[in-house]
Amino acid sequence: MTHIVIIGAGECGARTAFALREKGFGGEITLIGAEPLLPYERPPLSKDGLAEASLPKFIAGAERYEDARITVLTGVTAKSIDRAFKAVTLSDGRSLDYDRLLLATGSRPRAFPGVPENAGRIRMLRTHADALAIRAALTPGTRLAVIGGGFIGLELAATARKLGAEVALLEGLPRVLSRGVPAEIAAFVAERHRREGVEIICGAQIAAIVEASDGARLLLADGIGIEADLIVVGIGAVPNTELAEVAGLAIENGIAVDARLCTSDPDIYAAGDCCSFPLPHHGGRRVRLEAWRNAQDQGALAAVNLMGAGETMASVPWFWSDQYEYTLQIAGLADGAQATVRRDMGEGAIILFHLDGEGRLIAASGIGPGNAVARDIRLAEMLIAAGAKPDPLALASPEIRLKKLLAA
C-alpha cells in the first residue's frame, strides 16, 4: 500500500493522518480540506473561540504536517470518486490515485426551510469564518435570536450573554436539549440560562422570518413577533454524504460502515460525523454521532484499519458541553433506559445513572461546576464498556466510589 487519501480535513481526518504515521505507515498521505485553513478544533467556535474572535485552535502547525510527511491540500474539494480506477477528482482539476480512501467529510448545519444560508442577518455556525461573522455582530445591546435549543444554540446563547447581547432562544420541541439529555438536567440548564437573562421559548413554531436592512423579525404561529439584529440557526446537522452517494456507496443516516468503519467498498472507509455505524454497547444498533470524542476515536480506529488491522469499534459515546460555569458530560446513550438512579455529588453537581431492563448500566449523565463530574463520568464510561450491572443503592450513594464498583 503506497497512498492513503483522506477527504475531509477536520478533527477526524487530521487525527487519522497523524495516527497512520504513529502506527508506522510509511506510504504517502494526502489530506484534502475545503477550508483555506489547516485543520482546527470546532468545539471552541461556540465558546471561547467565539468570545475572543481569535485564530482557531489548530490541531497542529504546518511544520508538524511537514515533519510527518502529510500533504495537506487546503481550499480544495473532492468532486468525484472513480472506484474502478481508484482515483479522486479535485475541484482544481487534479486527480489523485489512492490505494485506500477515507471519507471524513463531516456534516453541515441544517438550513431553516425557505431561508438562505448565511445571508445578511441570518447566520449558521460551522466554520471559523462563520464564528468571526457572528462575533462581529455581537456587541453589548445586540438583539440575538437563536433558533434551536441544542448544545450549539445554548452554548452560543451563553457566549452572547457574556458579550452583553440580549438573547432570545427558540426551540420547537417542549424542552431544550431533547436529544440525548435527560429532562432533569435539561431543566437545570434552562433555568441557569433564564437566570442569566436568556429568554427561552419552547414549543415555538416559526411562521416566517423577515429580513430588513436594519434588522430581522421572527413571526411565530401564535402571532408573537420577535425583533432581532442577528438570527443564528442551530437546528441540527446533516451528514455530508453526496460524494459517497454519487460513488454508489451504501447510505443509511450517513455513509453506512461496518464495525471496522469500512463502507460497501472494501478500499473505502468513513469516519466521524458523516458515517453511521453499529454501536457494540447498545446491541449493535446503528447510530451517527456528532461528537468531538467520536471523531478522535474513529480517527484512531480508521488509521489502523486502513493499514489492514481489522479492529472493531469498542468506545462508548461521550459528549460534553459548557454552560456558563457548569460542564455537562454524558457517557453512553440513555434512550431505552428502564430505570434512572440519581447521585448527588454536592456543590450543585449531580449524576444520573441509566439502567436497562436487566440492570445493566447503559449511560450516565452529569452536570456540575467545572470538572466536578468528570472523574465519575469517566468511571461510568468504563462500567458501561464492561457491561456492568452495579447495585442501584451503591450508584446512589456518594460515599461509595465508582472505582470500587468497577473493581468489583
Side-chain angles (χ1 to χ4, degrees), residues 314-332:
S315 58
V316 173
W318 179 86
F319 312 85
W320 109 96
S321 177
D322 294 327
Q323 305 287 331
Y324 303 103
E325 73 273 27
Y326 292 97
T327 296
L328 184 161
Q329 291 194 22
I330 297 175

Side-chain angles (χ1 to χ4, degrees), residues 280-283 334-341 353-363 383-384 386-392 395:
H281 304 295
H282 293 266
D335 54 328
Q338 299 298 307
T340 298
V341 178
F353 297 98
H354 310 283
L355 309 173
D356 68 10
E358 298 178 352
R360 185 172 62 94
L361 183 64
I362 60 172
L383 286 166
I384 295 167
K389 297 180 180 180
D391 179 0
L395 290 177

Side-chain angles (χ1 to χ4, degrees), residues 99-120:
D99 294 284
R100 288 274 171 87
L101 176 67
L102 175 67
L103 301 178
T105 49
S107 60
R108 62 186 182 277
R110 188 182 302 277
F112 192 86
V115 176
E117 297 183 19
N118 284 338

Side-chain angles (χ1 to χ4, degrees), residues 97-396:
D97 295 333
Y98 66 85
D99 294 284
R100 288 274 171 87
L101 176 67
L102 175 67
L103 301 178
T105 49
S107 60
R108 62 186 182 277
R110 188 182 302 277
F112 192 86
V115 176
E117 297 183 19
N118 284 338
R121 296 178 181 271
I122 303 169
R123 312 291 304 183
M124 292 187 289
L125 177 58
R126 175 64 180 175
T127 68
H128 179 250
D130 295 336
L132 290 180
I134 292 170
R135 176 62 183 87
L138 292 180
T139 56
T142 296
R143 298 168 300 172
L144 170 68
V146 179
I147 302 176
F151 286 139
I152 296 295
L154 288 164
E155 289 171 359
L156 175 60
T159 302
R161 286 298 297 138
K162 290 179 183 178
L163 295 170
E166 300 175 9
V167 182
L169 184 141
L170 296 90
E171 168 57 53
L173 295 174
R175 67 172 175 90
V176 300
L177 296 174
S178 58
R179 181 184 172 191
V181 178
E184 183 176 353
I185 290 180
F188 183 102
V189 172
E191 176 57 27
R192 180 65 187 87
H193 275 272
R194 290 191 174 101
R195 283 193 282 116
E196 197 66 28
V198 177
E199 179 185 8
I200 297 178
I201 304 173
C202 291
Q205 302 302 311
I206 299 172
I209 299 177
V210 180
E211 184 180 9
S213 59
D214 59 346
R217 190 168 192 264
L218 287 165
L219 180 63
L220 305 187
D222 58 9
I224 294 176
I226 297 174
E227 305 292 336
D229 299 301
L230 176 69
I231 297 172
V232 177
V233 179
I235 54 174
V238 179
N240 293 322
T241 61
E242 292 79 5
L243 189 65
E245 289 182 59
V246 173
L249 299 176
I251 306 295
E252 186 179 346
N253 182 30
I255 304 169
V257 298
D258 62 16
R260 300 172 297 118
L261 302 180
C262 187
T263 69
S264 51
D265 184 316
D267 292 318
I268 302 178
Y269 288 69
D273 292 10
C274 68
C275 77
S276 66
F277 60 95
L279 197 59
H281 304 295
H282 293 266
R285 71 183 258 209
R286 182 168 289 276
V287 299
R288 188 175 65 82
L289 300 178
E290 300 158 12
W292 174 80
R293 167 80 73 81
N294 182 64
Q296 289 199 330
D297 289 347
Q298 290 196 344
L301 180 63
V304 296
N305 287 344
L306 285 164
M307 296 170 62
E311 295 183 9
T312 58
M313 282 288 297
S315 58
V316 173
W318 179 86
F319 312 85
W320 109 96
S321 177
D322 294 327
Q323 305 287 331
Y324 303 103
E325 73 273 27
Y326 292 97
T327 296
L328 184 161
Q329 291 194 22
I330 297 175
L333 300 179
D335 54 328
Q338 299 298 307
T340 298
V341 178
R342 174 177 170 139
R343 173 181 287 218
D344 289 298
M345 310 285 291
E347 298 182 356
I350 64 168
I351 294 181
L352 304 179
F353 297 98
H354 310 283
L355 309 173
D356 68 10
E358 298 178 352
R360 185 172 62 94
L361 183 64
I362 60 172
S365 311
I367 191 167
N371 291 319
V373 302
R375 183 184 64 179
D376 281 350
I377 289 293
R378 174 57 182 153
L379 290 168
E381 185 181 338
M382 297 167 72
L383 286 166
I384 295 167
K389 297 180 180 180
D391 179 0
L393 292 177
L395 290 177

